[in-house]
């Protein structure tokens, strides 16, 4: 049984597609199909159920997947030992980055610059996406590490290393009736029209959970895919928003009103899967991220 066949099988299982597996492995799709067929022939069982629209693991494939991952991890560990003896860490880390990642103390660019100086032989592949999507990719094995903005209750199967926590205020135009208030409660926002990001973004998840905890329903009339557009909708008086203050320019005329109870908290963490051992390159990148964390960052509840 060849390692490359197991690696190809694992890629197809994690991507759910022969095409995406070929893109991930940087080979032609026919090579992926041939490797899977050879493995199925060797084992004497089909590993995937193939249709025109989807690829699913068979019972045999589901049993093989964790064993294939363990075998590949052991082989990677052996390579890491040899690489270190040769004088340097080598490999690739697949890192998820949030679509609107610009926090006051968390910088992906600063992390990668420091990591490259320490480990020039390691490549970091960045994948940009929403927090919930990154969480799913960590669990399935498509990512090694990821920046997330999720509460612990939405991060089952993941280990979160908190990096920053920011209580989010209400953002409204200066002439809004609540603009000059010293604070506001969520129940007072029940009749407001909101603009927000999609439901799988971290700031949206935190805000939805806060309203649910306060037993208050709100109306999100506009959903947009970046925080800059959220601010535009508020700027043009179409809606109000709740979002991290660090994403708002200091020269903006928008008003930020603190929320008194059940205030949503935007928590930035770097996450790793709990059910498998990270390779040496990913462990090294995680260690660099932990050294850069803010000392006073509170633990994730």
């Amino acid at each position: 049984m060849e390692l490359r066949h197991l690696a190809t099988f694992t890629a197809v299982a994690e991507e759910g597609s022969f095409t995406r597996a070929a893109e991930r492995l940087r080979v032609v799709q026919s090579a992926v199909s041939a490797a899977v067929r050879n493995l199925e022939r060797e084992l004497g069982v089909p590993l995937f159920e193939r249709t025109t629209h989807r690829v699913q693991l068979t019972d045999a494939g589901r049993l093989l997947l964790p064993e294939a991952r363990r075998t590949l991890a052991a082989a990677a560990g052996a390579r890491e030992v040899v690489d270190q003896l040769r004088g340097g860490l080598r490999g690739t880390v697949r890192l998820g980055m949030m679509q609107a990642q610009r926090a006051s103390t968390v910088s992906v660019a600063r992390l990668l610059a420091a990591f490259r100086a320490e480990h020039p032989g390691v490549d970091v592949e960045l994948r940009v996406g929403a927090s919930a999507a990154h969480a799913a990719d960590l669990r399935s094995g498509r990512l090694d590490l990821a920046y997330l903005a999720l509460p612990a209750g939405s991060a089952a199967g993941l280990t979160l290393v908190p990096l920053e926590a920011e209580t989010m205020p209400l953002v409204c135009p200066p002439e809004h009736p609540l603009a000059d208030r010293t604070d506001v409660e969520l129940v007072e926002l029940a009749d407001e029209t909101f603009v927000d990001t999609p439901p799988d973004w971290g700031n949206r998840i935190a805000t939805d959970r806060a309203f649910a905890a306060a037993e208050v329903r709100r109306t999100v009339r506009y959903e947009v895919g970046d925080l800059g557009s959220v601010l535009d909708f508020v700027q043009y008086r179409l809606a109000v928003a709740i979002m991290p203050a660090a994403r708002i320019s200091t020269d903006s005329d928008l008003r930020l009103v603190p929320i008194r109870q059940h205030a949503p908290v935007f928590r930035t963490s770097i996450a790793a899967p709990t059910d498998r051992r990270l390779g040496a390159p990913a462990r090294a990148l995680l260690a660099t991220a932990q050294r850069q964390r803010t000392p006073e960052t509170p633990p994730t509840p």
Side-chain angles (χ1 to χ4, degrees):
M1 189 178 299
E2 297 186 30
L3 287 176
R4 65 185 180 90
H5 290 167
L6 289 178
T8 302
F9 159 74
T10 302
V12 175
E14 291 176 351
E15 298 293 340
S17 163
F18 282 78
T19 301
R20 290 195 296 271
E23 293 171 353
R24 169 171 153 182
L25 298 171
R26 298 175 183 175
V27 299
V28 296
Q29 185 172 335
S30 59
V32 172
S33 299
V36 171
R37 282 197 304 269
N38 288 337
L39 184 58
E40 290 177 325
R41 189 179 304 115
E42 183 176 356
L43 295 174
V45 292
L47 300 173
F48 294 103
E49 294 177 355
R50 303 162 175 85
T51 69
T52 55
H53 300 292
R54 59 193 306 183
V55 175
Q56 285 184 307
L57 286 167
T58 63
D59 290 342
R62 281 189 287 273
L63 288 173
L64 177 62
L65 182 58
E67 297 301 327
R69 285 172 172 161
R70 278 191 282 270
T71 300
L72 293 170
R79 285 193 296 268
E80 290 163 4
V81 170
V82 174
D83 287 340
Q84 291 176 19
L85 289 174
R86 288 175 175 171
L89 188 62
R90 300 183 184 279
T92 300
V93 182
R94 298 165 297 171
L95 174 66
M97 174 182 174
M98 290 184 290
Q99 288 175 270
Q101 186 152 343
R102 188 186 64 173
S104 57
T105 61
V106 179
S107 168
V108 177
R110 187 181 70 215
L111 168 68
L112 297 186
F115 185 71
R116 184 175 63 181
E118 296 170 357
H119 304 288
V122 177
D123 292 327
V124 179
E125 294 181 356
L126 276 181
R127 300 187 184 182
V128 179
S131 291
H134 283 337
D137 286 344
L138 284 169
R139 296 184 189 105
S140 69
R142 288 188 288 267
L143 286 175
D144 301 306
L145 300 169
Y147 284 96
L148 304 175
L150 293 178
S154 299
L158 304 178
T159 299
L160 300 182
V161 178
L163 301 175
E164 184 179 60
E166 181 183 358
T167 301
M168 295 188 288
L170 171 72
V171 184
C172 62
E175 69 276 9
H176 191 279
L178 299 174
D180 295 324
R181 291 274 296 271
T182 56
D183 55 41
V184 66
E185 293 190 18
L186 292 183
V187 68
E188 299 177 83
L189 306 179
D191 295 327
E192 296 289 340
T193 296
F194 277 86
V195 56
D196 212 329
T197 51
D200 58 348
W201 282 44
N203 62 292
R204 173 69 179 272
I205 292 172
T207 302
D208 286 347
R209 286 170 62 97
F211 274 91
E215 298 183 344
V216 176
R217 298 186 64 180
R218 67 167 179 152
T219 301
V220 179
R221 180 169 297 173
Y222 306 106
E223 286 187 358
V224 295
D226 67 276
L227 293 179
S229 293
V230 170
L231 291 176
D232 282 345
F233 275 68
V234 179
Q235 192 80 54
Y236 283 95
R237 283 57 175 167
L238 293 170
V240 299
I242 293 176
M243 61 180 290
R247 275 67 170 180
I248 303 172
S249 173
T250 55
D251 60 3
S252 169
D253 67 345
L254 298 178
R255 301 297 173 85
L256 279 60
V257 184
I259 297 172
R260 186 163 57 247
Q261 291 183 328
H262 301 290
V265 179
F266 187 83
R267 302 182 186 276
T268 303
S269 304
I270 190 165
T274 58
D275 64 348
R276 65 181 185 275
R277 179 178 178 271
L278 292 175
R283 294 199 304 273
L285 182 60
L286 180 59
T288 303
Q290 288 176 304
R291 288 196 298 273
Q292 291 187 348
R293 66 185 293 190
T294 306
E296 64 271 15
T297 298
T300 300

